[in-house]
Amino acid sequence: MLPPMPFGGKRERIGMTQLKAKYDEQSAVWNGVAGHAWAQEQDLINEAFKPMEDRLVEELWTVGAAKVLDVGCGTGATTLALSKMGHGAVECVGIDISQEMIAAARARAAARQSTAQFVCADAQAHAFAATFDMIVSRFGVMFFDEPGSAFLNLRRACRDAAQMRLLVFRTASENPFMTTAERAAAPLFPAVPVRVDGPGQFAFADTARVRAILEAGGWTGVEFQPIDFECSFPSGKLQTFFTRLGPLGRILHEADADTRTRIVTSVRAAFEPYVDGDRVRFEAACWMVSARAGIQSGML
């Protein structure tokens, strides 16, 4: 049964003004420099994270869901892979806040004649019909401003006993590759953002926090499986990776030409331990978060 009063006293309600402000903030990020870079470099990102995509396809095969929602779908690689595995028998929907990434996802779906559908909206507040029997995400849920409200809303999108499989990063210390660029650049460019608690790449590393969020949102049977994925991409794309993506990629354009040159040289040297001939190889330390939708005892 769903808890009658999540978050220890009353249901979390966000006023429309506050919710719109949160939406506008995230929309500005993912419809700005970050979203543009991710859309343009979708092939690089999808190659690097292909092992995670494959694992989520395996999870769909095991669960046997008929209708799947891919949260924070980006340019749609995982959504399309899930749809392809289902051979048209599985209805797959991807949702993302980035207009440019959703446009890229729709273009890829059309080129492949895929039945996958894509929605440009905020998963925290979008009015879903309660029809999904599985929710998946490949690094798409760590950026919620209001994760409590988000997972309540995602529960509303699901049938009772629907399954959820989320891939999220563990701690920054377990993922040194992911912070190499900013650590190497910081002495040369103090404007590099410092990672703080809140929405971001490692926001779901703390299992106790994530468990509390999910259980308060009506999700039961929460489990965490540590998985270390072996990832790689062409070494010729390394400079593109660290100059366009991540915290450094979002602000590097603000540096003057001389500083940019020194940053690129320093960061490239810092990545040398990960270069193996024509490939960049790294390990991504992740959690596979599993849960199921609790039985509704009333309106959420």
Side-chain angles (χ1 to χ4, degrees):
M1 302 291 286
L2 291 183
M5 291 170 52
F7 294 100
K10 61 182 180 179
R11 292 196 185 279
E12 184 182 77
R13 300 291 186 187
I14 299 178
M16 291 303 294
T17 300
Q18 182 183 358
L19 192 61
K20 184 178 186 302
K22 295 290 189 181
Y23 174 86
D24 289 346
E25 181 179 333
Q26 283 298 304
S27 181
V29 171
W30 293 107
N31 288 293
V33 174
H36 182 64
W38 276 66
Q40 286 200 326
E41 304 302 336
Q42 59 182 294
D43 291 340
L44 168 58
I45 295 164
N46 293 333
E47 181 173 0
F49 292 157
K50 183 65 163 58
M52 295 76 160
E53 173 191 308
D54 292 343
R55 180 55 187 266
L56 289 173
V57 169
E58 291 176 10
E59 293 294 322
L60 174 57
W61 180 265
T62 300
V63 169
K67 187 171 182 179
V68 182
L69 177 65
D70 180 10
V71 180
C73 66
T75 58
T78 300
T79 319
L80 292 167
L82 295 168
S83 181
K84 181 179 179 180
M85 190 279 285
H87 300 289
V90 179
E91 186 177 350
C92 298
V93 179
I95 184 168
D96 202 284
I97 203 170
S98 170
Q99 296 176 11
E100 189 169 357
M101 286 197 279
I102 286 293
R106 288 170 176 163
R108 295 179 69 192
R112 300 182 185 190
Q113 298 183 318
S114 172
T115 59
Q117 303 171 52
F118 294 95
V119 178
C120 186
D122 182 3
Q124 296 179 121
H126 185 68
F128 296 102
T131 56
F132 294 98
D133 51 14
M134 187 175 188
I135 286 180
V136 301
S137 183
R138 187 193 72 178
F139 307 137
V141 299
M142 301 102 68
F143 300 93
F144 288 134
D145 281 303
E146 299 288 347
S149 293
F151 283 97
L152 278 168
N153 197 45
L154 291 174
R155 173 61 190 89
R156 295 185 186 103
C158 292
R159 301 176 187 274
D160 290 346
Q163 295 290 317
M164 179 155 60
R165 300 290 186 272
L166 312 175
L167 281 173
V168 299
F169 284 105
R170 302 204 306 267
T171 62
S173 62
E174 294 173 279
N175 287 281
F177 177 86
M178 294 298 173
T179 59
T180 296
E182 62 214 67
R183 287 185 283 112
L188 301 171
F189 194 36
V192 175
V194 177
R195 295 184 190 254
V196 296
D197 291 340
Q201 187 173 10
F202 304 111
F204 271 42
D206 183 340
T207 58
R209 173 178 177 269
V210 175
R211 182 185 299 278
I213 290 169
L214 295 182
E215 290 180 348
W219 297 91
T220 64
V222 181
E223 296 181 358
F224 300 86
Q225 179 186 359
I227 305 176
D228 298 326
F229 290 101
E230 297 294 331
C231 304
S232 73
F233 59 85
S235 57
K237 287 288 188 178
L238 177 56
Q239 184 168 320
T240 298
F241 175 84
F242 69 73
T243 59
R244 301 218 61 204
L245 306 172
L248 177 61
R250 289 198 290 274
I251 55 90
L252 186 59
H253 65 280
E254 298 175 5
D256 61 65
D258 180 64
T259 301
R260 283 199 301 272
T261 299
R262 289 188 292 119
I263 289 171
V264 168
T265 300
S266 178
V267 174
R268 177 61 181 80
F271 273 109
E272 190 58 35
Y274 299 100
V275 178
D276 179 18
D278 64 351
R279 304 293 293 179
V280 173
R281 302 186 188 279
F282 65 96
E283 192 172 84
C286 302
W287 292 118
M288 170 67 81
V289 185
S290 302
R292 65 180 179 277
I295 305 302
Q296 294 189 30
S297 58
M299 294 298 293
L300 285 171

